[in-house]
């Protein structure tokens, strides 16, 4: 996916296509295109976080976007953008991790908050998601390297039977859960999978868009959390 940023004072037909985090200019105003505000804004915020933006950096981005929305004639769209910004701010590092319900293979119910006291690395996946399944071996391998961290795989399959049948064919070595809780979708702005999340012992967000287990970026991040 990519979206477009216009410089603060764009020249005629001047625009930048954002295809990777490195393409994002240091300052700019997001031009919201089309009606899929949620998806576009989620991509924009995700790319910003991947650059390592601090809360102050995010606040600056918010100010720039809001300065733009105040000039929009479509007030309903402007209000929706502002609402999405507020939602995105809830996933900044250090904010409370949104709670949600999940069930294990035996049907026992758990909440994310039940794991307070442990550093968590979550893998949100589904049996129908090829890229999710491709990341699973790397996720399992990291769990052996970092026993201090609790690795949880949470299926998003709407039909638990599909999830259970998959695990029956391919037994897992990590704790397995399934969640169709709307609080997971809305609280974590879950617009795509695979999605990886890091949470600290106090149930505060470390990274709501954590690197994939197969990426080079994940090793130094997990090292820093375990003192290695």
């Amino acid at each position: 996916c990519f979206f477009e940023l216009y410089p603060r004072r764009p020249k005629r037909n001047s625009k930048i296509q954002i295809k990777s985090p490195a393409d994002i200019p240091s300052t700019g105003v997001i031009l919201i295109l089309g009606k899929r505000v949620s998806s576009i804004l989620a991509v924009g915020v995700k790319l910003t976080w991947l650059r390592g933006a601090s809360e102050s950096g995010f606040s600056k981005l918010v100010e720039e976007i809001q300065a733009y929305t105040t000039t929009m004639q479509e007030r309903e769209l402007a209000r929706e953008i502002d609402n999405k910004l507020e939602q995105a701010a809830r996933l900044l590092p250090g904010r409370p991790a949104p709670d949600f319900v999940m069930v294990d293979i035996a049907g026992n119910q758990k909440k994310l908050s039940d794991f307070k006291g442990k550093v968590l690395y979550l893998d949100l996946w589904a049996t129908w998601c090829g890229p999710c399944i491709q990341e699973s071996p790397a996720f399992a391998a990291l769990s052996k390297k970092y026993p201090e961290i609790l690795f949880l795989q949470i299926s998003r399959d709407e039909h638990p039977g599909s999830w259970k049948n998959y695990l029956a064919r391919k037994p897992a070595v990590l704790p397995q859960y399934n969640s169709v809780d709307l609080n997971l979708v809305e609280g974590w702005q879950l617009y795509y999978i695979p999605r990886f999340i890091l949470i600290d012992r106090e149930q505060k967000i470390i990274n709501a868009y954590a690197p994939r287990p197969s990426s080079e970026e994940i090793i130094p991040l997990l090292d820093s959390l375990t003192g290695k």
Side-chain angles (χ1 to χ4, degrees):
C1 295
F2 70 88
F3 65 107
E4 295 177 321
L5 287 178
Y6 279 68
R8 189 183 298 273
R9 295 181 180 178
K11 298 179 181 179
R12 183 176 179 83
N13 298 325
S14 170
K15 62 183 179 181
I16 306 168
Q17 288 191 345
I18 305 302
K19 296 184 179 179
S20 72
D23 295 332
I24 300 177
S26 58
T27 59
V29 183
I30 290 182
L31 178 66
I32 303 298
L33 303 174
K35 297 181 179 179
R36 297 181 64 101
V37 176
S38 301
S39 299
I40 294 170
L41 199 55
V43 171
V45 171
K46 173 175 179 283
L47 290 173
T48 302
W49 281 335
L50 286 175
R51 294 189 68 196
S54 62
E55 183 161 354
S56 61
F58 179 81
S59 298
K60 183 177 180 180
L61 177 65
V62 169
E63 290 175 3
E64 294 180 350
I65 297 173
Q66 289 178 334
Y68 173 73
T69 58
T70 58
T71 68
M72 294 176 61
Q73 294 182 355
E74 303 85 353
R75 299 313 305 159
E76 183 177 350
L77 178 58
R79 283 191 293 272
E80 185 173 356
I81 293 171
D82 289 339
N83 181 54
K84 295 304 177 184
L85 286 172
E86 291 178 8
Q87 292 178 14
R90 296 175 194 149
L91 295 183
L92 284 170
R95 299 294 177 91
D99 206 5
F100 61 89
V101 174
M102 63 190 93
V103 294
D104 65 16
I105 194 72
N108 300 310
Q109 191 175 97
K110 281 273 193 180
K111 290 185 176 181
L112 181 68
S113 55
D114 292 336
F115 298 102
K116 186 175 182 178
K118 298 180 182 293
V119 175
L120 305 177
Y121 187 23
L122 308 184
D123 171 11
L124 302 176
W125 69 290
T127 59
W128 45 261
C129 172
C132 300
I133 293 171
Q134 289 176 1
E135 291 290 335
S136 187
F139 193 76
L142 286 177
S143 71
K144 297 178 181 179
K145 183 176 181 179
Y146 299 96
E148 311 93 327
I149 298 174
L150 181 58
F151 289 67
L152 298 179
Q153 291 187 295
I154 303 171
S155 161
R156 290 286 300 135
D157 285 276
E158 294 183 3
H159 302 289
S162 300
W163 167 61
K164 291 179 180 179
N165 289 337
Y166 178 88
L167 293 179
R169 297 194 310 270
K170 298 183 178 182
V173 297
L174 294 172
Q176 298 291 317
Y177 295 90
N178 174 260
S179 179
V180 293
D181 190 351
L182 190 60
N183 290 326
L184 169 58
V185 177
E186 294 183 346
W188 288 98
Q189 298 166 52
L190 189 60
Y191 302 121
Y192 62 89
I193 54 175
R195 171 86 173 270
F196 300 91
I197 297 170
L198 277 167
I199 300 170
D200 71 13
R201 292 180 178 84
E202 299 302 319
Q203 288 276 297
K204 298 294 179 64
I205 296 171
I206 297 173
N207 193 330
Y209 298 91
R212 295 188 179 202
S214 63
S215 70
E216 296 179 356
E217 295 85 356
I218 192 61
I219 298 298
L221 179 53
L222 296 184
D223 283 348
S224 68
L225 295 175
T226 56
K228 293 186 177 181

